[in-house]
Amino acid sequence: MAVVPSLMDSLFQRSIDDVIKGLRLCPPGTESIFISKSLDEIRREIKSTDPQTKATALHKLTYLHSLHSAEMSWAAFHSVELSSSAAHSYKRVAFLSASLSFNPSTTQVILLLTHQLRKDLSSANPHDVSLALSTLSAICNPDLARDLTPDVFALLASGKPFVRKKAIAAVLRVFEQYPDAVRVCFKRVVENLESDDMGILSAVVGLFCELTEKEPRSYLPLAPEFYKILVDCRNNWVLIKVIKIFAKLAPLEPRLGKRVVEPICDHMARTGAKSLAFECVRMIVTSLSEYDSAVKLAVAKLREFLLEDDPNLKYLGLQGLTIVSKTNMWAVLENKELVVKALSDVDVNIKVEALRLVMCMVSEDNVMEISRILISQALKSDPEFCNEILGHVLLTCSRNFYEVVFDFDWYVSFLGEMARIPHCRKGNEIENQLVDIGMRVKDARVQLVHIARELVIDPALLGNSFIHGVLGAAAWVSGEYIELSRNPFEIMEALLQPRTSLLTPSVRAVYIQSAFKVLTFCLSLYLKLSVDTVASQLLSDTELDNGNGNVVVASSSMHRFTKESFVNLMNLVETNLGPLAGSNEVEVQERASNVLGLIKLIKLIVFGSEGDNVKGEVEASEMVKLIFDAFSEDLGPVSVNAQERVPIPDGLVLKENLGDLDDICGGDTEFSLPSSFSIVKLQKMDAAGTSDCTSKEESETLTESTSLLAEHRKRHGLYYLSSENAGTVSNDYPPAIDPKDKDADEAEDLARLTEESLVIKKKPNQARIRPVVVKLDDGEGFNVSAKKREVEGGDLISGAVQEVLLGNEATATSSSSRKRESSKKSRERNKQQHGHGKERKSQSTGKDKEHDGQGQREKPKRKSRQRGDGGALPAQSSVIPDFLL
Amino acid sequence: MIHFVLLISRQGKVRLTKWYSPYTQKERTKVIRELSGMILTRGPKLCNFVEWRGYKVVYKRYASLYFCMCIDQDDNELEVLEIIHHFVEILDRYFGSVCELDLIFNFHKAYYILDEILIAGELQESSKKTVARLVAAQDSLVEAAKEEASSISNIIAQATK
């Protein structure tokens, strides 16, 4: 019930002090109770007709909102109501609450404020005006901006400096929300650039600093005004802003740089204020980097900063060096020892800055040395910074496809070393790079396999959950490039060691798959050996296409491949993986079952039937050869954009409603194994055209693994798709890994990609020392559109600005181009010539249109002068004031 | 530009928040939590800048209060430190050696003073004297109104309406 508070309520209303005191006396933990109690009171009091009671309530609410995050959007209307009070004190409370709590885009009642704001903007009391301006700047939305533009425009020429400067500051928000306001207000804003009042100058320079940030080109014509301020002004804060403006303008116009370099160097040498000095340094190193003498001075200043005890200056000095490093590397190298010293600073921010700088220095020649220094630093540091270092090293070395890495053997061992650092939390990145290098850099594989072996074989590492990813990568490398390994048996033992139970299931699945690959490899070697002696002609060309030097390495260990050792190997696998066939994890269970199935099959064919041993071996070797071939195919790197390139198949409707799910679930009848449950690699074997009998046997090996699933399916049929459906879907699905399947449209893109990468890989350039790193040809230009969108907001403003400053090209098409030129020129002159200042002021009191008209009328007067200057400039540079030439 | 100004006590209590860029209430709470976590843990004699979500936060401790301002990446950190100091000096002059309690019980005054120094995230008045003069003038306006409002006759008039 809405109760209007009585006199008693007004008399005994709790004041803001009472609330604050009450909150302070609250025992910890009970503040929220007190706040909600106060809010209840406020809700009642705020409805009062007495402005004093209402104001106090709103004041309390504002306090709770701004400092205790109480919700107050419900009170928005009360703020509006109170703001119409004639008393400044109530108005002040109302506007404070509005500016703190209103959200320009969601608060509906803002529009109700328009009238009140307009009234206050034209009030006789300057304090009301300034209050309204502050509020407008905080809550401005497009509607407010549009409706109040005339009022703000009037204030831009206010006789009271403190009102005028606030109007200038607030006009920034008006421009942002309503770019058309630029057409009305811009000229007046520009006039204020010549003000003598430091407050006004500071405000207007601040405004232009914000505007140039977004789109600098439009403000080039104002360069003379800015230049005058740069030379004449003695206020450091204004100078900093002007220098910021020039930092944006100078890159657009080379002649401007030549002009400002001297005053800026003067300021840098003269000033005692570090803030101004640093701004000069930053300006020089970002925008004037081609002026060597200036850069030298700036770098000397930075060195001064670095040598100071003040941590702020040290930090900024390093930051300045980071900027210089992009253009003038010598500056960093000159201060190398200071930078390295900063790596062991007490302040982590300074350390990070120094680290970034060190990473800037990295090149092909010093990457090993720098990495060495950094790793020793990492070992000494706290865990957080240690990982910061590792992250930076990894990022820098992998940048642009390992651009700086020349010696991959070194880098791969380095990766292994990093993974072993106790605090290392960068397992993911190391994991990715290990696999990536394996795929991209063929020449690094021997060393990679060596490092992977060391990682996989070490039981101690399995206990550290942060490097499980790295171990997964190592296991993958060991399996994928097993033919490069000296001792496959050892790898197999490592992959199956008992402590692998500590691994996460996904990594464990990789271990099992790698074990599968190793097993296949050993099988193929063993069978080849034994079959060769009997029927060598059958398989004479099996290994030829694989025949690099690699096989030689392996064949040295082939002598150990006796039947006995082989049976031992299979038994080892069987005992270790046996229990996993019942694992809860699908990946682990399925892969383990695959391996077990293969072993069962081999044992059956090769060792099972005593009589027909040779025939069995031939048969088995054919089968193993197929599996092995599937594995020995080189995997290429896959482009980030590959997925996007796969077109959606014709029949596939992705947004279809799943309404007919019931039908699908009803048709749960039969379950055909091969089509719904086959690993892609096995499927590929089918595609390659194996004899029926082999594939049938393969599917038999899978029965064990799938029987469990089948059972599960029977019980929870609801959650499965019907088998026919599954079959067709799996056939339509692009076989992403199979590059040979050219018939499938959707796979073609991927296939092309893979082939390309393979082609590049096949001709390694032996003349160069650096191994070839495979790169895919597509760039990663997917951020372009996002960037463009960002600029748009500023574009509207700058478009209007250009219109005001230069005259709009589009609207002036009727007049001759020459005329347009001259009008542009005349307007510039108008601005440059300080002698005409008075004339302009008198104009500005009139309407904007008149203003324009006058500018046109003045043209003939100026024309002769312009000719004298020799206006034979290209159209583009006509925006540049003549005095700079 | 300055995106927001925060005053946080050493115990993590918020004493003033002023937002010059749009943040929802949820974001505001999150920002305050994140920054007080970052800044209050930093020891003395470290630099006064922290990088945060692509912005820079410049902070300075005065007695038990941390004054924080968030600025863009290429804004001038030292200038902002000077602005903070400027603000503190004006507060000091206004309250007469300011302490945390002054700001707790006069939070609105701190806002009014800040409004005279910054507008739309930009510095607008670099003269301490001018700010002091303006705030004093506003105060006298308020005082006059208050006296009128709290007079007994006024209350009676209200009650008998």
Side-chain angles (χ1 to χ4, degrees), chain A residues 509-743:
Chain A
V510 176
Y511 265 66
I512 297 169
Q513 188 71 2
S514 297
F516 193 20
K517 290 176 188 167
V518 177
L519 179 69
T520 327
F521 175 73
C522 294
L523 264 175
S524 73
L525 278 190
Y526 164 72
L527 290 171
K528 181 169 164 274
L529 205 64
S530 62
V531 171
D532 267 357
T533 52
V534 185
S536 57
Q537 70 277 23
L538 262 179
L539 288 165
S540 56
D541 49 6
T542 317
E543 289 290 330
L544 277 186
D545 38 357
N546 222 26
N548 299 340
N550 316 332
V551 181
V552 185
V553 183
S555 59
S556 62
S557 61
M558 263 188 333
H559 303 296
R560 289 196 294 258
F561 279 77
T562 60
K563 188 166 180 169
E564 196 187 354
S565 68
F566 199 73
V567 171
N568 283 342
L569 180 70
M570 287 204 289
N571 287 340
L572 175 78
V573 176
E574 233 172 354
T575 41
N576 278 297
L577 292 187
L580 291 182
S583 164
N584 284 332
E585 293 294 332
V586 180
E587 282 289 288
V588 172
Q589 185 243 27
E590 190 173 337
R591 292 184 187 196
S593 302
N594 284 341
V595 181
L596 293 172
L598 179 68
I599 289 177
K600 213 179 206 177
L601 192 70
I602 295 292
K603 278 193 173 169
L604 196 74
I605 303 176
V606 183
F607 309 109
S609 51
E610 281 299 320
D612 210 0
N613 206 344
V614 177
K615 199 178 160 210
E617 278 189 5
V618 173
E619 200 180 304
S621 71
E622 247 172 57
M623 183 185 78
V624 170
K625 176 176 171 270
L626 277 166
I627 303 178
F628 181 68
D629 281 355
F631 282 144
S632 60
E633 174 113 30
D634 254 352
L635 291 174
V638 178
S639 153
V640 191
N641 303 328
Q643 179 89 48
E644 286 165 22
R645 292 195 196 168
V646 181
I648 299 170
D650 277 341
L652 187 63
V653 186
L654 287 173
K655 288 176 181 162
E656 198 177 18
N657 198 331
L658 290 177
D660 51 348
L661 203 62
D662 280 340
D663 301 347
I664 301 172
C665 296
D668 181 16
T669 46
E670 217 184 271
F671 180 53
S672 71
L673 290 173
S675 59
S676 50
F677 288 101
S678 51
I679 308 163
V680 188
K681 290 218 171 176
L682 289 176
Q683 212 177 35
K684 183 160 125 190
M685 191 183 66
D686 281 45
T690 3
S691 59
D692 267 6
C693 101
T694 346
S695 70
K696 217 187 270 165
E697 278 157 357
E698 275 301 319
S699 68
E700 264 171 58
T701 67
L702 292 167
T703 19
E704 195 178 2
S705 66
T706 49
S707 64
L708 268 169
L709 271 169
E711 206 175 292
H712 187 263
R713 185 189 169 84
K714 229 178 247 169
R715 255 185 293 158
H716 307 281
L718 185 69
Y719 303 111
Y720 287 82
L721 293 174
S722 80
S723 50
E724 305 96 281
N725 236 350
T728 50
V729 166
S730 77
N731 283 344
D732 280 351
Y733 212 75
I737 304 181
D738 183 2
K740 280 173 198 155
D741 194 356
K742 292 244 169 67
D743 298 344

Side-chain angles (χ1 to χ4, degrees), chain A residues 165, chain B residues 86 89-90 93 116-117 125-137:
Chain A
K165 81 180 180 217
Chain B
H86 181 63
E89 277 186 331
I90 291 172
R93 194 173 289 195
E116 292 302 325
I117 298 171
E125 185 52 75
S126 49
S127 151
K128 280 169 237 162
K129 227 184 263 169
T130 312
V131 175
R133 193 163 46 77
L134 289 173
V135 177

Side-chain angles (χ1 to χ4, degrees), chain A residues 201-227:
Chain A
L201 195 60
S202 162
V204 73
V205 170
L207 169 72
F208 278 111
C209 187
E210 283 300 312
L211 289 173
T212 41
E213 191 77 19
K214 278 164 196 143
E215 165 50 36
R217 191 167 286 282
S218 319
Y219 305 93
L220 266 179
L222 294 174
E225 274 85 351
F226 296 141
Y227 181 79

Side-chain angles (χ1 to χ4, degrees), chain A residues 860-877:
Chain A
K861 199 166 69 187
R862 298 268 162 75
K863 220 166 188 177
S864 58
R865 192 191 285 271
Q866 177 223 334
R867 270 200 209 115
D869 286 357
L873 285 165
Q876 260 257 306
S877 57

